[in-house]
Amino acid sequence: MGAAKLVHGYEVVIGFETHAQLSTQSKIFSRASTAFGAQANTQACAVDLALPGTLPVMNKGAVERAIELGLALGSHIAERSVFARKNYFYPDLPKGYQISQFEIPVVQGGSVSFFLGEEKKTVRLVRAHLEEDAGKSLHEDFIGQSGIDLNRAGTPLLEIVTEPDIRSSEEAVAYAKELHKIVTWIGICDGNMQEGSFRCDANVSVRKPGAPLGTRREIKNLNSFKFMQQAIDYEVRWQIEQIEDGHAIQQATVLFNPDTGETRAMRTKEDAADYRYFPDPDLPPLVISREWVERVRSEMAELPRVMADRFVTQYGLPEYDAAAYFEDTARACGQPKLASNWIMGELSRRMNADDIDFSQVQLRVNAMQLATLIMRITDNTISNNAAKLVFDALWNQSKTAVGSSNMYSLMDITQAASVIDSIIEGQGLKQTPKP
Ligand code: ADP
Ligand code: MG
């Protein structure tokens, strides 16, 4: 890692808290639907409304998604974690408390690695904990009234918290993009930032190099990568100006206004003590067996970073290129396991045999071509054997290599030609006629 970049002689320190909405059909403690965009209050059941006598029941799917994230980020998955009540009053929180995890979260430690240009950066995670979302207050200015929509109340969230390891707004955006990539890749979150499925809070402070950590201000609900960078840049400039003018920074929660490009204090920051956390007596501790973890692990698609690691150790390739190739291929065809098999198998074998490097591989068979080839196998347009012949043709830049192929047992000559053309063009998602 290079020396920290300074802004007017100050080092920037950032820690992230990200709320990823988990992609379950029903809520975290009730059977109400989580679907976005329904008419207000049509998806809030008695549990979400906090009617007397109702009790929360844990959604197994939400736990499973937390396990998946933990496995993807190399975290410890707690065998026993505890739900706690976070008490505060707000109109969109009918119980008067939010069910969250406090002292013992389900996911502990781990890290997220990414590239900034060619430089690899690793951000350590503190934890990720399960919690329920609150409802929404809707302010209808034109009739001078506010309404409460409880459809979102009880939606499952995973709050992912980093150590203050981030050192610039560029790193912050790169971290957030990588985390977004991971949660959508493993499929635990749809990642839709407009709809609020992936919301980031950036804790920002500045200090002179070598000084202890400065006081932070937390920028809430950054829901676009562009605003994230703008908000952090503004906040850093503002804090440095304050300090240079002799003012101390007050810990606070701030909001970014995209229209003015400024951050503005919303409230002075609460401490954990203000929330009077205590274990929720309505929920038993969450117990996760090792068998469950292993079952989840065996069903997960390989992460681009892990696949790249294998590729790099085996072939000494630049990690960045290998990860990108695998990821582009897998995303385009939606088949990470097959993409990994083809790259580690057929492609590696030929690379070895012909003794060529990875830049040449991409000239022969690019990610879109390989993805299209894989899709034609999965939709049964061509057999595995035929696919190897097509791969061969691509590799040797010669359509005629397919001339003698057994593809004709599957389809007539014109169809075979059009399938091969579509793969050579790397058309990806475009459907070809079925034989
Ligand atoms: P709280 O629970 O009160 O929000 P935490 O200690 O859990 O506070 O920290 C929340 C986030 O703020 C974490 O991502 C952490 O890395 C980050 N953070 C803590 N101290 C600082 C600081 N001085 N500057 C920037 N970020 C910080
Ligand atoms: Mg916090």
Side-chain angles (χ1 to χ4, degrees):
M1 236 181 289
K5 206 179 64 182
L6 300 184
V7 182
H8 299 298
Y10 287 84
E11 185 186 26
V12 176
V13 176
I14 303 169
F16 256 68
E17 294 165 283
T18 303
H19 289 92
Q21 182 179 316
L22 299 176
S23 56
T24 55
Q25 300 284 307
S26 58
K27 294 189 178 172
I28 185 167
F29 301 119
S30 85
R31 295 171 65 176
S33 166
T34 55
F36 182 85
Q39 206 191 341
N41 296 309
T42 56
Q43 291 178 174
C45 70
V47 175
D48 309 319
L49 297 173
L51 296 188
T54 56
L55 287 170
V57 177
M58 184 76 232
N59 179 339
K60 204 173 157 191
V63 179
E64 206 146 282
R65 284 166 178 76
I67 297 172
E68 287 179 300
L69 181 87
L71 290 172
L73 302 182
S75 314
H76 172 66
I77 291 147
E79 293 188 36
R80 181 180 167 282
S81 61
V82 174
F83 287 99
R85 292 185 178 181
K86 180 179 182 179
N87 299 279
Y88 64 94
F89 175 78
Y90 207 73
D92 63 21
L93 190 72
K95 290 199 294 296
Y97 61 85
Q98 176 194 24
I99 303 177
S100 183
Q101 296 190 305
F102 184 54
E103 276 168 338
I104 313 180
V106 58
V107 171
Q108 304 169 4
S111 65
V112 174
S113 294
F114 52 90
F115 284 89
L116 251 192
E118 301 269 285
E119 192 186 339
K120 187 173 180 176
K121 167 89 191 173
T122 297
V123 172
R124 295 166 300 154
L125 295 184
V126 179
R127 59 192 275 158
H129 60 257
L130 283 163
E131 62 183 25
E132 58 178 347
D133 208 344
K136 262 185 198 164
S137 300
L138 305 164
H139 305 293
E140 306 283 12
D141 287 337
F142 61 99
I143 47 168
Q145 290 185 352
S146 290
I148 306 291
D149 176 7
L150 292 173
N151 283 352
R152 205 180 62 181
T155 297
L157 300 177
L158 198 55
E159 179 174 342
I160 304 155
V161 184
T162 76
E163 296 284 357
D165 283 351
I166 299 165
R167 290 291 173 272
S168 67
S169 61
E170 291 80 16
E171 271 184 33
V173 172
Y175 162 79
K177 283 187 174 167
E178 184 64 26
L179 183 63
H180 185 268
K181 215 150 80 172
I182 292 168
V183 297
T184 53
W185 177 269
I186 61 180
I188 65 168
C189 171
D190 69 20
N192 189 324
M193 295 176 82
Q194 272 87 48
E195 293 178 3
S197 300
F198 187 86
R199 318 193 283 267
C200 295
D201 305 339
N203 294 267
V204 180
S205 67
V206 298
R207 65 174 171 188
K208 284 279 160 78
L213 285 179
T215 302
R216 69 184 196 266
R217 303 212 313 163
E218 178 175 1
I219 316 172
K220 275 280 179 206
N221 282 340
L222 294 165
N223 64 355
S224 97
F225 296 122
K226 190 173 130 212
F227 293 158
M228 189 177 292
Q229 176 126 20
Q230 288 176 4
I232 295 171
D233 285 340
Y234 177 86
E235 179 63 24
V236 167
R237 280 200 306 275
W238 184 88
Q239 289 189 16
I240 293 173
E241 269 172 36
Q242 291 294 306
I243 295 169
E244 290 289 313
D245 286 350
H247 305 299
I249 303 294
Q250 300 282 325
Q251 191 170 324
T253 302
V254 308
L255 282 182
F256 176 67
N257 180 344
D259 296 328
T260 62
E262 296 176 357
T263 52
R264 202 159 47 86
M266 186 165 83
R267 52 172 192 253
T268 55
K269 170 81 181 163
E270 306 78 0
D271 282 322
D274 297 326
Y275 291 119
R276 303 167 339 270
Y277 280 100
F278 62 88
D280 191 327
D282 287 345
L283 286 159
L286 173 60
V287 173
I288 298 174
S289 69
R290 292 304 98 179
E291 294 74 52
W292 191 6
V293 173
E294 289 318 310
R295 193 161 64 245
V296 172
R297 193 198 304 276
S298 70
E299 286 161 8
M300 275 177 74
E302 189 169 27
L303 283 180
R305 150 179 84 75
V306 176
M307 143 82 220
D309 278 349
R310 282 201 289 149
F311 215 47
V312 170
T313 26
Q314 216 162 326
Y315 300 104
L317 292 175
E319 185 178 345
Y320 181 77
D321 291 346
Y325 185 87
F326 170 57
E327 189 177 335
D328 289 349
T329 306
R331 276 201 196 263
C333 68
Q335 301 283 344
K337 282 218 161 106
L338 281 177
S340 164
N341 288 348
W342 273 85
I343 295 170
M344 294 308 287
E346 205 64 18
L347 188 139
S348 308
R349 198 161 31 249
R350 284 163 195 269
M351 226 175 97
N352 253 0
D354 293 5
D355 193 26
I356 62 167
D357 69 27
F358 201 63
S359 56
Q360 285 174 293
V361 167
Q362 282 163 296
L363 291 177
R364 293 187 179 204
V365 184
N366 67 36
M368 279 310 286
Q369 291 172 322
L370 181 56
T372 312
L373 180 74
I374 290 169
M375 286 165 68
R376 295 294 81 87
I377 304 169
T378 48
D379 68 12
N380 293 320
T381 306
I382 56 176
S383 68
N384 243 315
N385 283 338
K388 284 190 180 152
L389 292 163
V390 177
F391 189 90
D392 197 68
L394 287 169
W395 190 265
N396 295 310
Q397 313 282 294
S398 122
K399 266 200 205 189
T400 51
V402 202
S404 64
S405 97
N406 60 0
M407 287 183 76
Y408 307 130
S409 60
L410 295 164
M411 59 187 91
D412 70 31
I413 290 175
T414 39
Q415 276 175 327
S418 94
V419 169
I420 293 162
D421 282 343
S422 81
I423 295 169
I424 291 171
E425 286 161 28
Q427 284 174 346
L429 298 168
K430 197 169 158 199
Q431 282 296 315
T432 51
K434 284 255 167 108

